[in-house]
Amino acid sequence: MYKMISLFNHKGGVSKTTTTFNLGWMLAEHGKRVVMIDADPQCNLTGLVLDYGKTDGLDEFYKKHPTQNIYSGLSAAFESRPEPIAAIKCLPVAGRDGLLLMPGHVNLTEYEVTLGIAQELTGSLPALKNLPGAIHYFISKIAEAEKADFVVVDMSPSLGAINQNLLMSSDAFLVPAAPDYFSVMAIDSLATVIPRWLEWARRAYGNEVFSTAAYPFPNPHVKFLGSVIQKYRPRKGTATEGFQTWIDAINDRIATRLFPALEKRGATFPEKIYATAGVGKATAYCLAQIPDFNTLIATSQSHQTPVFALEDSMFGHTGVVLEQDQKKRDDFRKIFELLATRVIALAENA
């Protein structure tokens, strides 16, 4: 049985896409079969996999494969077509066996308003009652067809109906954050928003309109995995003082606001489960702290390869500079190996 893990924060610029790609790749390195879902209409994950460097690459892909994306996959339900939702073949990610992508599409935003209306249904409207369960059904069909162990979802930075639906349909989620004032504000906001979404999802599951739909809304059981804090400047192996101040503030908000709000509504694991994975109250449920990739991110993107998987020949350097690149690569590998190990350990209980 696959596990669906979503990466969610309505604040932008916290490296959700990079984390999705790197985590998906590392899970595949651990022998898991992984499908990445690009649910962000900005399609950054799709662009990364298909090569950022080719300005016309995405245009060519959509012209040649107009139905091979999440927007097209959901169209049977959202455009009231007579055929049922079916799995769409995912794209294999070059260089990593066991890692696949369901491409995103800019037009996915067209379904936002309709889904929002459908999710507030209390009566029986045949044209809308199938929509709340459609996204989960589509993803489950993909996971089944691809024999996936994990589905990792890159979500957009918004509080819209699609994100609400995705998060409440997930088995678990993690919150990427950057060490700044706005991430602290975002954590405060999530402590209010996610419990409200949980209450909606439980009502929706118990609503006869949705339970008798062609695509029933699933029983919500999403669990909080933890946070991933990144994009800080390191010095001698730790964050500089300015960044550490914001890291501490984020950890405090998670420990004192977000986690208790989720725990109250059954969206967390027992403390012993976190402890087994090496996280918990002592670490403020932080799964990993990842320093800024700096110039290595451009190298990573140009080769569609995570920093930790770059080969020596990809750096384009020799001598001392190459040695520095190698050390950074190896440091990132340790971080993402630990992150993947923790995610696997926690997800087993989701």
Side-chain angles (χ1 to χ4, degrees), residues 177-185 187 229-234 238-254 284 289:
D180 57 36
Y181 172 72
F182 297 104
S183 277
V184 176
M185 290 181 65
I187 298 300
I229 302 176
Q230 50 207 318
K231 298 183 71 173
Y232 64 85
R233 189 174 300 114
T238 59
T240 59
E241 184 177 352
F243 284 107
Q244 188 60 51
T245 298
W246 291 117
I247 291 172
D248 291 342
I250 290 170
N251 285 336
D252 177 71
R253 289 300 203 284
I254 289 174
Q289 291 188 17

Side-chain angles (χ1 to χ4, degrees), residues 33-348:
R33 190 162 175 83
V34 182
V35 173
M36 299 184 297
I37 304 280
D38 190 351
D40 185 347
Q42 296 178 82
C43 300
N44 290 328
L45 180 61
T46 303
L48 175 56
V49 171
L50 296 180
D51 191 356
Y52 274 125
K54 297 177 181 177
T55 55
D56 61 347
L58 283 177
D59 286 342
E60 286 299 311
F61 170 77
Y62 290 122
K63 288 176 182 176
K64 293 180 180 178
H65 308 279
T67 63
Q68 201 169 8
N69 59 76
I70 187 172
Y71 171 73
S72 180
L74 293 171
S75 64
F78 281 83
E79 297 175 19
S80 299
R81 295 182 179 175
E83 70 269 18
I85 288 176
I88 291 176
K89 187 67 177 175
C90 294
L91 299 178
V93 176
R96 180 63 265 165
D97 291 343
L99 182 61
L100 305 107
L101 171 74
M102 171 48 56
H105 199 287
V106 66
N107 291 347
L108 183 62
T109 54
E110 293 177 7
Y111 297 153
E112 190 84 60
V113 173
T114 308
L115 180 61
I117 294 171
Q119 290 183 167
E120 296 305 320
L121 268 181
T122 55
S124 178
L125 293 176
L128 295 179
K129 72 175 186 178
N130 292 331
L131 300 189
I135 295 177
H136 178 262
Y137 184 87
F138 175 59
I139 291 176
S140 68
K141 285 298 180 183
I142 290 173
E144 179 183 350
E146 299 293 354
K147 297 179 173 58
D149 298 304
F150 284 94
V151 171
V152 184
V153 184
D154 184 19
M155 296 169 63
S156 68
S158 80
L159 294 177
I162 290 176
N163 276 356
Q164 177 182 6
N165 191 288
L166 282 165
L167 194 66
M168 293 301 101
S169 299
S170 300
D171 295 296
F173 73 102
L174 58 84
V175 177
D180 57 36
Y181 172 72
F182 297 104
S183 277
V184 176
M185 290 181 65
I187 298 300
D188 283 339
S189 175
L190 292 179
T192 300
V193 170
I194 297 178
R196 189 166 68 236
W197 285 359
L198 283 163
E199 291 171 5
W200 164 81
R202 286 162 184 158
R203 288 197 309 270
Y205 175 68
N207 188 332
E208 186 179 357
V209 173
F210 298 140
S211 64
T212 58
Y215 312 119
F217 188 79
N219 186 6
H221 58 274
V222 64
K223 295 289 189 289
F224 176 58
L225 295 178
S227 67
V228 175
I229 302 176
Q230 50 207 318
K231 298 183 71 173
Y232 64 85
R233 189 174 300 114
R235 181 180 295 164
K236 297 181 179 180
T238 59
T240 59
E241 184 177 352
F243 284 107
Q244 188 60 51
T245 298
W246 291 117
I247 291 172
D248 291 342
I250 290 170
N251 285 336
D252 177 71
R253 289 300 203 284
I254 289 174
T256 63
R257 292 211 56 194
L258 179 60
F259 189 89
L262 297 175
E263 183 179 35
K264 183 178 179 181
R265 291 159 180 83
T268 61
F269 298 108
E271 193 63 29
K272 64 181 180 180
I273 299 297
Y274 288 106
T276 300
V279 294
K281 290 182 180 179
T283 64
Y285 309 96
C286 182
L287 297 167
Q289 291 188 17
I290 306 169
D292 202 320
F293 288 88
N294 294 321
T295 57
L296 289 183
I297 192 63
T299 304
S300 170
Q301 290 175 351
S302 67
H303 291 283
Q304 298 97 53
T305 304
V307 169
F308 60 76
L310 290 169
E311 299 175 4
D312 289 353
S313 59
M314 295 176 177
F315 291 115
H317 298 143
T318 59
V320 175
V321 178
L322 175 59
E323 291 175 2
Q324 293 173 343
D325 290 339
Q326 291 169 328
K327 183 181 184 307
K328 290 178 181 177
R329 176 192 62 195
D330 295 344
D331 288 344
F332 279 114
R333 171 166 288 280
K334 291 176 183 177
I335 292 171
F336 279 99
E337 282 181 340
L338 179 60
L339 175 58
T341 299
R342 286 174 168 173
V343 168
I344 291 170
L346 290 170
E348 289 177 349

